[in-house]
Amino acid sequence: MPVVVGKAKDRYIDLIVLPVLYTFFAAFTILCVFPFYYLIINSISANDMSARGVVMFYPVGVHFNNYRQIFRIGGISSAAMISISRTVLGTSLTVLGSSFLGYMFQHRRLWARKFWYRSVVVTMYFSAGLIPWFLTMRTLGLTNNFLAYILPAIVQPFNIILLKTYIENTPFELQEAAEVDGAGIGYTYFQIILPISKPILATVAIFAAVGQWNAFQDTLILMTDARLHTLQFILFRYLNEARSLALLIAASGGAISEAAAEAATQTTPTSVQMTVAVIVVMPILLVYPIFQRFFVKGIMIGAVKG
């Protein structure tokens, strides 16, 4: 009798529960993917159709003029290099700096390690504000300086917590064995800690890369030199200009130059917004699948001790 009941339960799960779960997760996946699909089809559709909101499920009047116009912006290539450089360099140094501090804070022979660890963690809860931050950056000579993109991001308390917790869950005997063989702090860190910490390092790398790639507020506040403007800042400025042009056309009732009106017809605020969003999001969408298999394992082990 128990066998029959068990088979009936399994059949119920196969016929009722699993289809419901698959349907739910399929619908949830579509809800997650559709916003990105919506951005892409609107960025390549006819601008007037996109502005009227009629492009919903498939592109209409496909063209790539929006991308060509945005990449014609003066200084766009140098801004792209600045964004790529700060993302690559900033992510690398953030991962190295956070992982090294996470390793040191779990090291049992570090003098007053609890005090130093808590001194770093407490900065997550208290902030002096924007003006003191700007005054500090200016005093340190980090205005109109590329290092302003890199140095403040090297030490991230949240990342240090994740890495410290992860390393604490690895066998401490590995470190002891290396030290018995005469390995120093640097050798143990590079040869033992980093290789066994790949999942959490990939997790921190994703956090750091997304933050660096999407940042533009530091450019807005600290950088007056156009050579140090990032891609996101230029695209943000161009987006505001496109909106201003559209408002000017509406306010003047069309009584502006024919060239300006033609430009506004070709590039609407909606089309610019969609195109900018695609350009900003696409690199992260392409990079994330590479690290995704490490991400879940890293964030779970790094966040839970025991």
Side-chain angles (χ1 to χ4, degrees), residues 161-228:
I161 293 173
L162 292 179
L163 286 155
K164 175 181 178 292
T165 308
Y166 185 95
I167 296 172
E168 286 177 339
N169 282 273
T170 60
F172 188 73
E173 290 77 9
L174 293 174
Q175 300 181 44
E176 290 182 330
E179 293 175 358
V180 169
D181 292 337
I185 295 294
Y187 185 90
T188 304
Y189 168 69
F190 284 105
Q191 299 298 324
I192 306 297
I193 299 301
L194 289 185
I196 65 176
S197 303
K198 290 181 180 178
I200 193 64
L201 293 177
T203 302
V204 172
I206 291 176
F207 289 155
V210 171
Q212 287 283 6
W213 180 259
N214 291 333
F216 72 92
Q217 188 176 14
D218 47 5
T219 306
L220 180 65
I221 297 173
L222 299 175
M223 306 300 175
T224 58
D225 188 350
R227 294 173 298 179
L228 293 173

Side-chain angles (χ1 to χ4, degrees), residues 75-96:
I76 197 73
S77 58
S78 61
M81 288 304 301
I82 291 292
S83 291
I84 294 173
S85 299
R86 72 171 293 180
T87 300
V88 174
L89 185 59
T91 300
S92 302
L93 292 180
T94 297
V95 170
L96 286 175

Side-chain angles (χ1 to χ4, degrees), residues 6 79 184 220 234 244-245 291:
L220 180 65
I234 287 185
S244 299
L245 182 57
F291 295 97

Side-chain angles (χ1 to χ4, degrees), residues 4 7 35 47 49 82 88 96 99 126 140 161 163 174 179 203 239 250 263 269 282 293 295 304:
V4 175
K7 290 183 177 180
N47 293 341
M49 303 294 288
I82 291 292
V88 174
L96 286 175
S99 60
F126 299 97
L140 294 175
I161 293 173
L163 286 155
L174 293 174
E179 293 175 358
T203 302
L239 175 60
M282 191 58 66
R293 62 193 183 99
F295 182 80
V304 180

Side-chain angles (χ1 to χ4, degrees), residues 255-300:
I256 58 174
S257 66
E258 182 178 352
E262 181 180 358
T265 303
Q266 294 177 351
T267 306
T268 65
T270 301
S271 66
V272 174
Q273 185 177 8
M274 300 297 178
T275 308
V276 168
V278 172
I279 292 175
V280 171
V281 171
M282 191 58 66
I284 298 300
L285 290 180
L286 296 177
V287 170
Y288 181 79
I290 300 175
F291 295 97
Q292 192 273 339
R293 62 193 183 99
F294 300 107
F295 182 80
V296 175
K297 180 180 178 182
I299 197 66
M300 290 297 293

Side-chain angles (χ1 to χ4, degrees), residues 34-51 53-63:
F34 182 76
F36 301 104
Y37 174 75
Y38 180 79
L39 289 175
I40 294 173
I41 63 175
N42 274 272
S43 68
I44 62 175
S45 296
N47 293 341
D48 56 342
M49 303 294 288
S50 177
V54 299
V55 180
M56 293 297 297
F57 301 106
Y58 54 88
V60 178
V62 177
H63 70 95

Side-chain angles (χ1 to χ4, degrees), residues 1-11:
M1 186 66 180
V3 176
V4 175
V5 173
K7 290 183 177 180
K9 182 179 180 181
D10 293 339
R11 185 177 302 173

